[in-house]
Amino acid sequence: MNELWTLISFGDQGWGDEIAEGVLVTISLALATLPFGLLLGFIIALAKKSEEPSLRMAANIYTTIFRGLPELLTLFLVYYGVQIGIQELAKLIGLNMYIEVNSFVAGMVALALVFSSYASEAFLSAFRGIPQGQYEGGFALGMSRFKTMRLVVMPQLIRLALPALGNLWLILLKETALVSVIGLSDLVRQAGIAARVTKEPFFFFGIACLIYLVLAMISSAGLTRIESWSKRGDVAR
């Protein structure tokens, strides 16, 4: 048992440093993906509720594609597809070079595409939960469409969408493990390297499982507090 704990110690004898770096990459990737996924999901939701048929059709095609494709396949398409696209473009302008896409950026883009396709449905459902009279009340007070959205609709939208978005965050946190297949040194990749070198796969992947569970519990506690904060107006009434 002492030998196993030595394996996750910090320093030359253990893999604690590498595992900690992997945890940092995992958290960084999830946090970097979140704002882009939320923004893109919100834009897609606006397109879905637009009166313009072409916008609704484009938004529906987008969500159908990225909700239908496996996340791993989306990651491969972004990582390898963008590289091939850039290289072909370079050939057209007379440049012959090898270009490699940063695995962190590729992972962030791929995860944001998938996340936004689901987040758009959460936002759209929240939009449907806001009575039309809220919009009309803002217009009646002389507010512009943008100001009505910012001051009247958005606070209610966030409160209604928060439970679904919280679940999507937990899913995103777990899906960051996929980036290990394109060479990003996240928690799963570092645990895999340690497992191969030390011949202790059960131990290191068990450690990775425990870390993901801890991250999920911390996230769940934080989301619960945020939801309670968002409902403080309801409690006051």
Side-chain angles (χ1 to χ4, degrees), residues 23-38 111 114-116 118-119 122 161-176 212 214-224 226-227:
V23 173
L24 181 61
V25 170
T26 293
I27 296 173
S28 300
L29 179 60
L31 291 176
T33 302
L34 184 63
F36 292 103
L38 288 174
L111 292 175
V114 177
F115 182 91
S116 63
Y118 288 96
L162 198 54
L165 294 177
N167 290 332
L168 290 177
W169 161 255
L170 294 175
I171 294 172
L172 172 63
L173 196 60
K174 292 183 293 183
E175 287 182 346
T176 56
Y212 274 112
V214 169
L215 292 176
M217 288 188 290
I218 293 173
S219 297
S220 296
L223 290 168
T224 299
I226 293 173
E227 287 182 33

Side-chain angles (χ1 to χ4, degrees), residues 33 36 88 109 121 131 156 163 165 167 181 184 207 209 213 226 233:
T33 302
F36 292 103
E88 290 300 320
V109 171
E121 294 299 319
Q156 300 178 72
L165 294 177
N167 290 332
V181 301
L184 190 63
I207 293 294
C209 288
L213 286 173
I226 293 173

Side-chain angles (χ1 to χ4, degrees), residues 114-190:
V114 177
F115 182 91
S116 63
S117 65
Y118 288 96
S120 66
E121 294 299 319
F123 283 124
L124 187 62
S125 179
F127 271 122
R128 291 169 179 163
I130 300 174
Q132 185 62 29
Q134 298 288 325
Y135 297 88
E136 296 171 353
F139 298 150
L141 292 173
M143 295 183 182
S144 64
R145 185 179 295 272
F146 175 77
K147 199 169 184 179
T148 300
M149 175 65 73
R150 183 171 62 89
L151 299 178
V152 179
V153 177
M154 283 300 293
Q156 300 178 72
L157 184 74
I158 293 172
R159 178 172 58 83
L160 292 172
L162 198 54
L165 294 177
N167 290 332
L168 290 177
W169 161 255
L170 294 175
I171 294 172
L172 172 63
L173 196 60
K174 292 183 293 183
E175 287 182 346
T176 56
L178 296 173
V179 299
S180 61
V181 301
I182 59 172
L184 190 63
S185 299
D186 71 319
L187 173 58
V188 172
R189 181 172 175 81
Q190 296 287 38

